[in-house]
Amino acid sequence: MGSAVADLVYWRDTRTSALVFTGIMVTLLSLLHFSIVSVGSYGALAVLGITITLRLGRKGLQALRRSDGANPFQAQLDADLPLSQEQLERLATQLSRDILAAAHTLRRLFLVEDLVDSIKFAFLFYILTYVGAVFNGLTLLILGKGGRGIQAKLPSAKAKPE
């Protein structure tokens, strides 16, 4: 076990351990009641809501001339991804291009490099919450119909003549 994981498990830093385990518990409880599509969409909407609000607040301060208006996430946007290009080339060149492109796009969208694109991205996740709700209903419908079909084929479920 790594030292960071051991620190979490043994509660050496109480605040960090409580935050991590609360997040895990909330995620598991959400997955118990909702589809994974809905949980993922609501989680992404929560992150986008926070980052867009911070970006708009910085723009508002710029309009009032109290701030330079720089992106509050510029340091994260400028940071290199933790995987080096050499490590990724060993795994697969094509896979590395796809991972870097996806990570760059997600970072750009979640950290609000372009406000319009991030709002479109939030709208996509908003629509996905409805898709997740529909799939929950469809799953119940399929299970209900399939269960009746299986029940009809069982000899013990057929009505016995009197």
Side-chain angles (χ1 to χ4, degrees):
M1 213 177 348
S3 70
V5 175
D7 289 346
L8 285 173
V9 171
Y10 294 125
W11 291 74
R12 292 192 180 116
D13 183 9
T14 309
R15 189 172 290 168
T16 304
S17 294
L19 186 66
V20 168
F21 289 123
T22 300
I24 290 171
M25 186 60 69
V26 167
T27 302
L28 289 175
L29 287 173
S30 297
L31 286 172
L32 178 68
H33 294 288
F34 304 108
S35 71
I36 192 164
V37 174
S38 294
V39 172
S41 295
Y42 281 120
L45 278 174
V47 171
L48 280 168
I50 292 168
T51 56
I52 289 173
T53 302
L54 288 172
R55 180 71 193 266
L56 288 175
R58 186 63 66 100
K59 286 286 188 186
L61 287 175
Q62 179 188 13
L64 296 173
R65 306 216 192 288
R66 294 182 183 198
S67 173
D68 60 354
N71 190 338
F73 307 108
Q74 194 61 46
Q76 288 83 6
L77 287 168
D78 293 338
D80 288 332
L81 295 174
L83 297 174
S84 70
Q85 188 66 28
E86 295 81 26
Q87 292 171 332
L88 291 174
E89 284 176 3
R90 279 191 306 227
L91 297 173
T93 304
Q94 184 61 33
L95 181 63
S96 68
R97 280 191 221 129
D98 293 343
I99 289 173
L100 290 173
H104 177 71
T105 302
L106 289 173
R107 180 176 61 178
R108 185 178 61 80
L109 290 171
F110 275 107
L111 298 178
V112 196
E113 185 174 322
D114 183 17
L115 185 62
V116 174
D117 285 344
S118 292
I119 289 174
K120 288 179 189 177
F121 193 54
F123 183 71
L124 170 73
F125 282 114
Y126 181 72
I127 295 298
L128 280 176
T129 61
Y130 287 103
V131 171
V134 168
F135 275 116
N136 268 351
L138 282 177
T139 303
L140 292 175
L141 182 67
I142 290 169
L143 288 175
K145 293 287 184 182
R148 282 192 212 131
I150 292 171
Q151 187 179 13
K153 292 180 182 180
L154 293 174
S156 62
K158 293 183 179 176
K160 296 179 182 174
E162 292 183 25

